[in-house]
Amino acid sequence: MARSIGVVVTHYIWVGVVEDLRLSAVRMYPPPGQAPVDLKALPADEIVDCIRQEIAQITGGGPVECVGAGFPGIVRGGVIDESPNLGQLKGVPIQEKLACALAADGIHARVAALNHVDALAAGLAATRDSMESLIRVWYLGDGIGFGRYPRTESPWELGHSVVSLDPKERFCGCGGLGHLEGIMGNRAMRLRFLDMEPEEIFAEARNGDQRASDFVKRWHRALAAATATIVHAEGPGRFYIAGPNADFVNLEMLGRNLMEMVKMSSLQSTFFEVVPTSHDLALIGAAVSSRGR
Ligand SMILES: [Zn+2]
């Protein structure tokens, strides 16, 4: 049976072979145990070439039916319109470039490109035995991503939701003032604290440091505020939380903050759930999305 390939580009490049909604093989670049590579510094063509090589390795030249690839930012019609955290991808017709690169290797597969958190939402929809018709996911990493299933052509760049009117809140990678990512993103946390890595900030907060602890409260209130805006726009329900910084989330604090922000009784049935191993689900979702075109 022909196989589907899922690709997800975040802090790493992940490539997986998907058969019957399961991953039968996964590779990551850089490989585990090797020095990290800053993907921000890699030109777009090198990222495409890297994906091509990983796919060649993982398929061993065998048949591939379709390839779905998830990238951070706004992806429409196969083109990356915006990608604040991998700026070199802005404007790149990634679907066409990837299809050409694979064709040069003899892989004539259908290729689809989408936002990587939309891929994760599609993966949740495909693998969870759930009756939910709407899946919404926050992705907490270097940037703050938001994904939704079913996918629409709207940008849904809710990591850039305005959650503060303070003009000093200017740490978002996109340059916008008061943004969620300007509080929660890794770059923003480093700029705010200068002398601490994100994990150190959360560790210091647990140790009782006042400044760190005040910030951790603000970090949770920011996510609650952006969620409250979505709830007021399209209704309550479950919100999944994924990504490397999901480990920092205190679900009790987040839920309490949201309750303070959403008071209309018909909008109150919202809850949060952390998704472990989210890159696996994103790979499955990317592959599944490429089949549906
Ligand atoms: Zn922003």
Side-chain angles (χ1 to χ4, degrees), residues 3-290:
R3 298 166 294 179
S4 305
I5 303 292
V7 178
V8 171
V9 178
T10 54
H11 203 71
Y12 300 94
I13 296 172
W14 302 88
V15 174
V17 177
V18 178
E19 293 169 284
D20 297 329
L21 295 181
R22 285 204 183 83
L23 280 168
S24 54
V26 177
R27 287 178 63 88
M28 69 184 276
Y29 174 86
Q34 281 203 11
V37 171
D38 184 6
L39 294 183
K40 291 184 201 322
L42 221 53
D45 284 343
E46 284 184 36
I47 289 182
V48 169
D49 196 52
C50 189
I51 295 170
R52 179 189 68 77
Q53 288 181 36
E54 291 297 321
I55 291 176
Q57 288 286 334
I58 207 166
T59 58
V64 176
E65 188 185 0
C66 45
V67 176
F71 296 89
I74 303 174
V75 185
R76 278 192 290 213
V79 178
I80 300 180
D81 283 349
E82 293 288 344
S83 192
N85 289 293
L86 289 176
Q88 74 273 37
L89 295 180
K90 181 178 164 78
V92 172
I94 196 75
Q95 198 166 291
E96 189 189 324
K97 272 187 183 284
L98 202 50
C100 288
L102 292 173
D105 274 353
I107 297 176
H108 299 279
R110 198 164 61 229
V111 176
L114 69 164
N115 173 277
H116 77 104
V117 199
D118 283 340
L120 172 54
L124 283 162
T127 56
R128 295 245 165 160
D129 186 20
S130 160
M131 297 302 285
E132 285 168 314
S133 55
L134 174 62
I135 294 200
R136 298 176 286 195
V137 192
W138 287 113
Y139 184 91
L140 314 181
D142 287 341
I144 305 301
F146 181 82
R148 191 175 183 282
Y149 179 89
R151 200 148 52 98
T152 73
E153 282 293 292
S154 306
W156 290 105
E157 276 294 317
L158 296 172
H160 304 275
S161 298
V162 175
V163 294
S164 168
L165 298 180
D166 183 348
K168 290 200 283 296
E169 286 293 350
R170 57 187 164 77
F171 296 133
C172 191
C174 83
L177 295 184
H179 287 190
L180 177 64
E181 186 174 305
I183 293 171
M184 295 189 81
N186 281 337
R187 173 182 181 274
M189 287 194 270
R190 290 185 182 115
L191 286 171
R192 186 180 303 264
F193 278 83
L194 295 175
D195 57 342
M196 277 195 267
E197 282 294 294
E199 54 271 24
E200 293 171 314
I201 299 168
F202 286 84
E204 283 302 305
R206 281 193 299 278
N207 292 336
D209 177 82
Q210 191 62 47
R211 180 167 170 246
S213 159
D214 287 348
F215 173 73
V216 167
K217 283 182 196 149
R218 174 180 289 245
W219 192 87
H220 282 84
R221 285 187 73 75
L223 185 57
T227 306
T229 300
I230 304 168
V231 167
H232 286 114
E234 63 165 13
R238 190 199 319 247
F239 284 77
Y240 293 98
I241 299 174
N245 290 356
D247 291 347
F248 297 147
V249 172
N250 175 332
L251 287 176
E252 190 276 325
M253 186 190 287
L254 184 60
R256 186 162 27 86
N257 288 339
L258 185 76
M259 277 171 66
E260 290 166 6
M261 296 172 182
V262 180
K263 286 296 181 189
M264 294 178 206
S265 60
S266 57
L267 298 182
Q268 278 181 335
S269 52
T270 289
F271 57 100
F272 295 95
E273 179 180 332
V274 172
V275 187
T277 64
S278 60
H279 61 266
D280 284 1
L281 284 166
L283 289 172
I284 293 169
V288 167
S289 302
S290 68

